[in-house]
Amino acid sequence: MTDAPIGDRPAPRLAVGVDVGGSGIKVGVVDVSIGELVAPRLRVATPTPSTPGVVVPAIVRTVKRAIRLAGIPVGATAPVGVGVPAVVIDGVTRSAANIDQGWIDFDAGRTLESALKRPVLVLNDADAAGLAEMRFGAGAGEKGVVFVLTLGTGVGSGLFNDGVLVPNTELGHMEIRGRDAERRSAAAARTRRGLSWKAWATDLDEHLEAINKLFSPNLIILGGGVSKQPDRFIPRLTVKTRILPAKLRNDAGIVGAAMAAMERLSAG
């Protein structure tokens, strides 16, 4: 499936990760044994409208391009993991958050597998990012209840207990002040509303307090693009739960999706 070992280095275990977001589709070939991309990730804009009929071909084109540009051979059976902003059950997207409503009850797994002619695993995008952070990032070795929140166009949530994923939590859509919490706490909400980091941190803090009240987590990891600038907002948070910035940042969803696909393939 992959290159032979080089010297004392083991052969890389390669899978492709795809992170579908409200504004962009990011793709990379990942060595899942170390949780790193083997070449720079590719990014294309998410088509508008973001229906399956146009997003699926964009994913297929970008995956094929990423494989061509990987720099090392990617075997024909290397799997593809695809994180999407939706509840995903057995490859079927059962909801649609920050993406076209045409994804509701869409058999994404079967459609992508047919188009790519490779094993494909589809999962919630925040669950994918959480898997990577718990294996290779800020959550490595953490016990008890841990949340990984992805702050982007919306807010995704990955819930783990003793390192085991509880899928499809979607806490960006919990209600605060009569509306989805992510309308105020997502990173996009800060720029959309023209807020300072201080003002946005206050809104995010309210969301985190609600999560803390319901779940009493040991740790909350904050990911997405804003994790590059943790000093701008994390010191302003007052929630008593321990807060850490994500380490894998915008690569987390790609790495986690690739990991999940490889582990599903290995498990048969």
Side-chain angles (χ1 to χ4, degrees):
M1 183 182 296
T2 63
D3 262 353
I6 302 173
D8 293 331
R9 287 187 297 166
R13 299 179 65 230
L14 300 181
V16 182
V18 181
D19 185 3
V20 180
S23 60
I25 299 169
K26 294 172 288 189
V27 181
V29 177
V30 179
D31 182 350
V32 299
S33 61
I34 57 174
E36 294 181 3
L37 277 64
V38 302
R41 70 173 183 255
L42 302 180
R43 185 188 187 280
V44 297
T46 302
T48 303
S50 52
T51 61
V54 292
V55 172
V56 167
I59 292 171
V60 172
R61 287 193 302 270
T62 312
V63 166
K64 291 180 177 179
R65 184 173 167 226
I67 289 171
R68 288 197 306 271
L69 298 176
I72 57 176
V74 179
T77 59
V80 179
V82 182
V84 294
V87 169
V88 183
I89 300 174
D90 296 329
V92 178
T93 47
R94 297 298 188 184
S95 68
N98 300 301
I99 199 167
D100 191 86
Q101 297 298 295
W103 285 83
I104 297 174
D105 295 329
F106 175 64
D107 195 341
R110 184 172 298 180
T111 302
L112 283 162
E113 199 159 81
S114 175
L116 287 165
K117 297 178 173 52
R118 292 175 177 273
V120 172
L121 175 68
V122 180
L123 70 164
N124 175 267
D125 57 349
D127 288 347
L131 287 167
E133 280 295 328
M134 294 300 289
R135 178 76 57 82
F136 297 109
E142 290 285 343
K143 299 296 183 182
V145 175
V146 177
F147 276 99
V148 180
L149 301 184
T150 56
L151 308 176
T153 304
V155 176
S157 59
L159 168 60
F160 296 83
N161 186 38
D162 288 339
V164 178
L165 173 66
V166 181
N168 295 315
T169 49
E170 291 285 0
L171 292 188
H173 303 296
M174 64 190 301
E175 186 176 307
I176 295 180
R177 302 194 183 200
R179 60 197 308 196
D180 278 4
E182 69 177 17
R183 297 284 296 172
R184 296 168 63 237
S185 57
R190 184 183 73 83
T191 53
R192 183 182 70 247
R193 299 164 65 203
L195 297 179
S196 66
W197 285 97
K198 181 179 179 180
W200 175 68
T202 299
D203 290 341
L204 174 61
D205 206 29
E206 187 173 7
H207 191 180
L208 300 181
E209 288 282 7
I211 292 172
N212 183 54
K213 183 177 179 180
L214 290 173
F215 297 97
S216 301
N218 294 4
L219 171 66
I220 297 176
I221 299 168
L222 300 180
V226 293
S227 61
K228 298 176 184 177
Q229 305 179 75
D231 293 343
R232 303 295 296 271
F233 66 99
I234 288 182
R236 303 179 188 275
L237 301 174
T238 65
V239 63
K240 292 183 179 179
T241 306
R242 187 161 52 108
I243 306 291
L244 289 175
K247 289 185 178 179
L248 278 69
R249 299 177 179 172
N250 275 336
D251 286 344
I254 297 171
V255 172
M259 280 173 45
M262 180 64 83
E263 289 171 9
R264 173 66 64 87
L265 179 66
S266 300

